[in-house]
Amino acid sequence: MSTEEILSLSSNSLFIAFILLLIAILPLGLAVKSKGKMFKRLGLVLTYSAFILQLSYFVLRWIAVEHAPVSNMYEFMTFFGIMLTGSFLIIHHLYKQIVVGLFTIPVSLIIIGYGSVFAKEVTPLVPSLQSNWLTIHVITVAMSSAILSISFATGIIYLLRTLDFAKKSISTYALEFVMYCLIVVIGFIGVSTVFNVTTDEVKVHFENAQGKEEKTVYSMMPLIVNKGAVTDSGEAIGFLKITNAVDAKKLNSIVWAFIVGTVLYSLIRLIMRKPITVLLKPLTNRVQPALMDEISYRAVVIGFPLFALGGLLFAMIWAQIAWSRYWGWDPKEVWALITFLYYAAFLHFRLSKGWEGKKTAWLSIIGFGIIVFNQVFVNLVIAGLHSYA
């Protein structure tokens, strides 16, 4: 088979897996409301089948590109989503809690869908990525992030089960805000797809932070551009001009995500006439809160040392090989350290201060927010040595 045929087969495997997971949400939702096992079995069969296809995508793409397919945002986010699906299957094997899948799989689909908006083309690796430590470092980070993300799902479940939404509080508003943020990501996926299908790309020229002329291509309507940005014809463009130290194109994408996500969230509220958290709460009626709290803790216990290895130790070894220094306070390195310290504090408060229940749930949710900020915002918006990712 040619490289193109292998890549096509790889992409088709991922697409079919995505559809299977999307379908699996229905029987999983019915399983948490039913006492029978038919829906649970169907949901698990679909999930296992999808996971096998996801692994097929990964192996086939690895064969085609001849290196671990985790070198750009499309590949990394896709692998992150795959590992989240795999993490759920492991957790279900240990705890038999199908409700975890009902809340984990949609997050996995959102992550994979988010990754799909980035370029999928195979390009030669930049010199700093031409190392076996790319495979070791990035795969370990993705695996640990996925395991830590399980605690996010179980934290959401715990709060939905225990909070009284009839009484408005900071906690109920905060949890609804988390739902809003997930809708924003869905909005980003949707608006990216629409612009890619319906509009032409816009080429923009500007001076980068180093004072050199740079050209970039906007796939979304340019609302935000760097100072001095013009089109090929020399016309000024954009509504807001920002410092060249920030990637305006990627910030533009984030702004569009919030615009469309806010509209989408507003439509859901208008049609359903209830907060999303109130709509989801009945799905957790049979949940044992103490068990969700235990799963959240165990996920962090497993994911934290794995992240320490991949995000710090392996990363520093790779940095020494690629840039001749173990540590350089690059934005990505700083946020990896912040993530490590956060989860270290999480375990400290859990073991020494007895923080359990709602406190653990909120710590898990905030931790997931830090992971997402590190993997998405830092990579996309803040200029640094990891911007190629």
Side-chain angles (χ1 to χ4, degrees), residues 202-206 214-218 226 247 249:
V202 179
K203 295 181 180 179
V204 175
H205 301 260
F206 63 96
E214 187 172 326
K215 181 172 70 175
T216 189
V217 178
Y218 278 73
N226 290 117
D247 192 323
K249 173 188 172 182

Side-chain angles (χ1 to χ4, degrees), residues 71-73 126 128-129 250 318 323 379 384-389:
S71 61
N72 55 43
M73 279 297 288
V126 299
S128 61
L129 294 179
K250 292 167 181 175
W318 182 23
W323 302 308
N379 272 20
L385 291 172
H386 290 76
S387 296
Y388 53 73

Side-chain angles (χ1 to χ4, degrees), residues 299-358:
V300 174
V301 167
I302 297 170
F304 170 69
L306 197 59
F307 182 86
L309 281 174
L312 292 180
L313 180 60
F314 296 158
M316 287 189 288
I317 295 173
W318 182 23
Q320 172 63 26
I321 296 172
W323 302 308
S324 300
R325 91 290 189 278
Y326 289 103
W327 191 266
W329 297 105
D330 181 74
K332 188 75 171 179
E333 294 170 337
V334 171
W335 277 95
L337 178 61
I338 289 172
T339 304
F340 169 81
L341 293 175
Y342 178 84
Y343 280 105
F346 178 112
L347 293 176
H348 169 73
F349 287 128
R350 174 85 183 198
L351 298 174
S352 301
K353 304 295 182 181
W355 283 25
E356 299 180 355
K358 291 181 180 179

